[in-house]
Amino acid sequence: GLTSPENEPRFFPEEKPLASHYDVVIIGGGGHGLACAYYLAKEHGITRVAVLEQGYLGGGNTGRNTTIVRSNYLTSEGVKFYDASVKLWENLSGDLDINLFYSTRGHFTLAHSDDAMRTMRWRAEVNKHHGVDSEVVDRDAIARAVPTMDLDCGGGPAVHGALYHAPGSVVRHDAVAWGYARAAAQRGVEIHQQTAVTDIHTAGGRVTGVATSRGDISCDAVVSMVAGYTPRITDMLDLPTPIEIYPLQACVTEPVKPFLDTIIVSGSLHVYVSQSSRGELVMGSAVDPAVLHSTRSTFEFVEGLADHIVDMFPFAGRLRLLRQWAGMADMTPDFAPIMGTTPVDGFYLDSGWGTWGFKATPISGQTMAATVAAKRNHELIEPFRLGRFADFQLVGEKGAASVGH
Ligand code: PYC
């Protein structure tokens, strides 16, 4: 017979009241925070964990990005880290027992000048050195793969070639948050939505708890895994970081018949585009030009983006936009994340995810969980430590950030 909605199995267990103590409090119920909770429970047996989310699960940058996964970075540190993430992505639907619609499409980063071609060759060589499948391709190869694209860009800067990265993929972003949340909750993790952290308590230089909109909690470790809010959290501890917040906007068109089965990025035209399984064009651009703590979306963004999308796909001028939105990006000076231990004992940072964080969800969760369990940085994230800005060991990823700047 038919079941009523009340009798259907819940996706998550019902939320409990907050406990007075947890071993680990994770601030931020996006993909990174939920993944960290999952790996803490699964790989380290740490289950007295609370994920505190001020809004709803995946409502921050996890649900606002353009869902691209890739590992074609410029530095060895970046390539190794994101390659480990791609390997986790590839088995994640099975691991979490949910269809994430992980779809490997191939990823073209277009080069519109000889200088850009040189950077693509550089990236290809670093990628190959680390066993990552990337190669430089010429115009003919792009024309064969994307016959609908105008490689002369309507008289703008013509495409010379591209970095082609076969593992480039897209994945259903909100399913990623739900999948990690359910799998973490099944292992005993508590997830509390509508619960904002308002302060972090310390004693003798170490973390002792957090104040929340629903009362105080004591804990042994706090992991900040928020996007677009990191300075508000680190200000609670008077911990300076070089992070600045810029809005990053995106949009989708109405659905159309499938015509684009790869991911196209152009740093020169400041756009990236893929076609979703529903037929919508999913598109984004560079970060907004000024620091701003806001998720408002603007006409200027749509106008600039449309101008450049039409250069590449003239017929897209007839498509209507369905939705536009913005997220807040924690930008760092070297375009790499800030992860790991901090000068405050028991306080860990997973931050600085700028415009590049979604694809790192599985590996940041896994390496941050290992870092919290061992109380020292996992080797893959050691290069991304906060202290690199003091000792000038930057990880320059600007040339591979995918977003024009
Ligand atoms: O890093 O691949 C990326 C990306 C795509 C859109 C914004 N960032």
Side-chain angles (χ1 to χ4, degrees):
L2 294 173
T3 56
S4 62
E6 308 84 68
N7 296 333
E8 280 179 9
R10 291 177 62 91
F11 197 77
F12 305 118
E14 207 151 349
E15 284 188 15
K16 299 180 180 165
L18 281 180
S20 57
H21 178 87
Y22 296 94
D23 294 341
V24 181
V25 164
I26 295 172
I27 310 176
H32 286 217
L34 295 163
C36 179
Y38 169 70
Y39 292 112
L40 275 171
K42 181 183 171 205
E43 298 187 349
H44 306 281
I46 301 175
T47 56
R48 280 211 298 179
V49 176
V51 179
L52 306 183
E53 166 55 48
Q54 66 173 352
Y56 59 93
L57 293 190
N61 288 2
T62 295
R64 291 165 190 267
N65 63 77
T66 44
T67 84
I68 296 170
V69 171
R70 62 184 177 92
S71 58
N72 56 356
Y73 274 76
L74 181 63
T75 66
S76 288
E77 295 87 342
V79 174
K80 283 194 272 185
F81 179 74
Y82 291 101
D83 182 42
S85 207
V86 168
K87 292 195 168 106
L88 289 174
W89 279 116
E90 285 167 352
N91 294 314
L92 201 58
S93 289
D95 191 13
L96 301 180
D97 192 21
I98 184 172
N99 188 353
L100 300 175
F101 292 86
Y102 188 78
S103 171
T104 300
R105 301 279 180 94
H107 181 287
F108 287 93
T109 311
L110 304 178
H112 300 254
S113 66
D114 289 342
D115 283 353
M117 281 299 276
R118 201 159 38 243
T119 308
M120 299 313 155
R121 275 189 219 104
W122 179 4
R123 280 170 70 180
E125 291 311 312
V126 178
N127 287 195
K128 283 186 228 168
H129 178 72
H130 292 290
V132 168
D133 188 355
S134 294
E135 57 180 325
V136 172
V137 295
D138 61 14
R139 269 172 70 99
D140 291 347
I142 305 169
R144 279 194 301 278
V146 197
T148 47
M149 184 156 75
D150 174 8
L151 294 176
D152 292 328
C153 297
V159 174
H160 290 213
L163 178 69
Y164 179 65
H165 177 54
S169 301
V170 288
V171 52
R172 182 73 193 279
H173 47 184
D174 27 29
V176 174
W178 300 333
Y180 271 121
R182 183 178 65 175
Q186 282 165 347
R187 286 169 171 78
V189 166
E190 287 183 24
I191 297 165
H192 296 280
Q193 303 182 75
Q194 302 289 318
T195 308
V197 170
T198 53
D199 204 358
I200 302 176
H201 301 308
T202 59
R206 68 160 295 115
V207 157
T208 56
V210 294
T212 82
S213 52
R214 294 168 56 200
D216 287 3
I217 305 171
S218 75
C219 61
D220 302 327
V222 173
V223 195
S224 174
M225 306 190 85
V226 300
Y229 288 87
T230 297
R232 295 185 209 188
I233 301 293
T234 48
D235 281 355
M236 296 174 187
L237 294 164
D238 291 326
L239 184 65
T241 73
I243 291 171
E244 303 263 31
I245 312 293
Y246 289 79
L248 179 66
Q249 306 193 40
C251 59
V252 295
T253 65
E254 62 184 330
V256 287
K257 280 187 184 170
F259 73 93
L260 183 64
D261 60 2
T262 62
I263 303 159
I264 306 290
V265 176
S266 167
S268 306
L269 296 181
H270 307 294
V271 290
Y272 34 93
V273 54
S274 65
Q275 189 171 21
S276 78
S277 50
R278 283 194 291 255
E280 300 161 350
L281 289 191
V282 183
M283 307 179 290
S285 183
V287 288
D288 283 6
V291 165
L292 185 67
H293 294 225
S294 168
T295 52
R296 61 88 180 95
S297 193
T298 62
F299 180 70
E300 287 75 12
F301 155 71
V302 172
E303 196 178 32
L305 177 95
D307 189 11
H308 287 137
I309 289 286
V310 168
D311 285 347
M312 291 196 291
F313 298 104
F315 61 91
R318 298 205 303 274
L319 299 181
R320 283 171 297 188
L321 274 196
L322 210 57
R323 297 185 298 281
Q324 66 177 103
W325 65 91
M328 291 192 290
D330 277 354
M331 299 302 290
T332 58
D334 59 358
F335 286 60
I338 300 176
M339 302 179 75
T341 56
T342 70
V344 182
D345 221 6
F347 180 70
Y348 301 86
L349 263 182
D350 172 81
S351 64
W353 288 109
T355 62
W356 46 85
F358 174 67
K359 69 180 85 62
T361 301
I363 195 63
S364 75
Q366 191 180 50
T367 53
M368 286 302 295
T371 298
V372 172
K375 299 188 174 63
R376 66 164 190 278
N377 287 342
H378 185 283
E379 59 175 335
L380 271 182
I381 68 167
E382 177 60 15
F384 305 126
R385 69 197 191 286
L386 175 61
R388 76 179 184 275
F389 297 102
D391 52 27
F392 303 110
Q393 301 287 319
L394 302 191
V395 188
E397 280 295 3
K398 194 169 183 178
S402 205
V403 170
H405 33 70

